Each structure stands twice: as C-alpha cells, then as structure tokens.
Amino acid sequence: MGRIGKVLFSEKQIREKVEGLGKQVSERFSGKVTEASPLLCICILKGALVFTADIMRRIKLPVELDFIRLSSYKSGTETGKVDLLMDLKSDVEGRDILVLEDIIDTGATLAYLKEFLQKRKAASITFCVLVDKTPRRKKELKIDFTGFRLEKDEFIVGYGLDYAEWGRNLPYIGVLER
Ligand code: IMP
Ligand code: MG
C-alpha cells in the first residue's frame, strides 16, 4: 500500500479547475457540435475515469462517451512503447474528438493515440489533460486544455491516478511517499 507525502491539489482546487476546463471546452465547441454530431469524448482508462466523470457534467453540449485502454512502458529499454489493451467501440471517422487524460508525462501515450485516431480519420482531435508533468517530456505534442502543471518529476496519486492500483479513490491528488 502507498502513502501520501503531501497533498498537491485539494478536492476544492480540483473541482474548481475541472469546472473551468469544462467551461473552456464548451466555449471551444459551441456552435460546432450539435445533437446530430455530438462531441465524442474518449476516456483513457483507467486513470482518466474520475476526471472524465466530472468534466463531462461541466460540458454543456451534446456529448458521446467511449473508452480506450492503453498502457505505456516506463522501463529503460522500452520507453515510448504503448500497447492497446482495449479498443474503442465507436467509429471515429469524421468525428470531433475530445481526448480526456489524467496526466501526460513522456507524451508517449497521447502521441500514440493521436496517430491511432488520425489513421482512423477523425475530423479533429483535441487534448484535455488534468495534469501536465513537464520534466520528462519526449514527444512534443500540443495539449489544448491543461488543468495543472507539475514542474517537478514527482509521482502523484489520487483522483483516478494510481500507484500499482492504489490511491485511485482519494478525492485529492498527492505526492506518493516512497
Ligand atoms: P506518458 O505516456 O509517459 O505520457 O505517461 C502517461 C501515463 O503514465 C498516464 O496515463 C498515467 O497512467 C501514467 N503516469 C505518468 N505519471 C504518473 C504519475 O505521476 N502518477 C500516476 N500515473 C502516472
Ligand atoms: Mg493513464
């Protein structure tokens, strides 16, 4: 089991941030998505589950929801390798897509997903990430909406983020005590 060393983002801070992100996303797509062509939200399991559940309710537009499960390897030799563990159910061709992710670190996961969605001919791909951990970025990638920026290479848990499956149900985000 893990332990939290210090709380980085409180429940209240997260709630306010997510509310703001929802507003920005709503503004961005207002007039562009309709009942006939809803915004397709893609939640990257498992980490983005809690974030997705909260932000979806702040997006005041027609949305659809789908899930994908990806796994990225962090070990030295395999850095950048991403596996598809569970595919989408939706056809993404011609769709406006909002990718919801808990945290971007090296960028491998989102770079993989971008290529994956482009190959399937998505009309547009927008990235909305709760935490941008900048120090270990390897893939340059434009993140359209970012909640918090983490300038230190710290491992964080809570609000969906886990350490070996521990800590996903914490209502705040904290640094793991090692
Ligand atoms: P990337 O592919 O290196 O950008 O890593 C992204 C994925 O790594 C995320 O979807 C998380 O599952 C995981 N990850 C990266 N940093 C952390 C962290 O600090 N806490 C928990 N999970 C993390
Ligand atoms: Mg993840």
Side-chain angles (χ1 to χ4, degrees):
M1 217 182 80
R3 263 175 61 181
I4 295 296
K6 85 177 171 232
V7 173
L8 268 190
F9 311 121
S10 70
E11 205 174 340
K12 179 164 178 280
Q13 280 175 305
I14 296 171
R15 187 168 54 244
E16 287 169 0
K17 189 63 84 176
V18 171
E19 205 176 313
L21 285 172
K23 206 175 263 174
Q24 289 177 50
V25 169
S26 304
E27 280 162 14
R28 168 74 61 94
F29 288 99
S30 153
K32 294 189 187 79
V33 303
T34 60
E35 290 289 347
S37 62
L39 181 64
L40 180 57
C41 297
I42 295 182
C43 167
I44 307 181
L45 294 172
K46 301 175 194 172
L49 175 79
V50 181
F51 175 45
T52 299
D54 283 346
I55 194 169
M56 264 188 79
R57 287 174 287 178
R58 300 289 177 185
I59 301 175
K60 307 295 178 193
L61 297 167
V63 300
E64 278 179 14
L65 176 63
D66 204 347
F67 299 96
I68 193 167
R69 202 165 158 207
L70 300 170
S71 132
S72 63
Y73 292 84
K74 306 289 180 195
S75 63
T77 51
E78 283 195 293
T79 304
K81 187 179 179 298
V82 178
D83 271 348
L84 176 67
L85 301 182
M86 188 187 100
D87 201 344
L88 300 164
K89 293 279 184 267
S90 320
D91 182 1
V92 301
E93 187 172 345
R95 303 291 306 266
D96 289 309
I97 292 175
L98 180 71
V99 173
L100 297 169
E101 175 63 315
D102 51 358
I103 184 166
I104 178 171
D105 182 13
T106 66
T109 302
L110 292 185
Y112 171 94
L113 185 57
K114 188 175 175 188
E115 212 183 299
F116 178 94
L117 294 171
Q118 280 171 339
K119 269 191 211 147
R120 292 187 178 183
K121 304 192 179 74
S124 71
I125 305 164
T126 302
F127 289 112
C128 179
V129 174
L130 184 63
V131 182
D132 184 339
K133 182 153 85 176
T134 54
R136 303 202 316 148
R137 188 65 39 82
K138 294 213 172 62
K139 303 266 186 190
E140 274 322 310
L141 205 73
K142 179 176 155 259
I143 304 300
D144 303 272
F145 302 102
T146 303
F148 302 102
R149 221 168 281 279
L150 188 58
E151 308 284 354
K152 275 196 261 177
D153 184 9
E154 290 174 311
F155 198 86
I156 60 176
V157 294
Y159 195 72
L161 291 148
D162 74 306
Y163 168 65
E165 296 301 323
W166 180 83
R168 291 196 197 275
N169 60 337
L170 297 171
Y172 52 83
I173 293 175
V175 180
L176 186 75
E177 195 173 74
R178 305 237 202 192

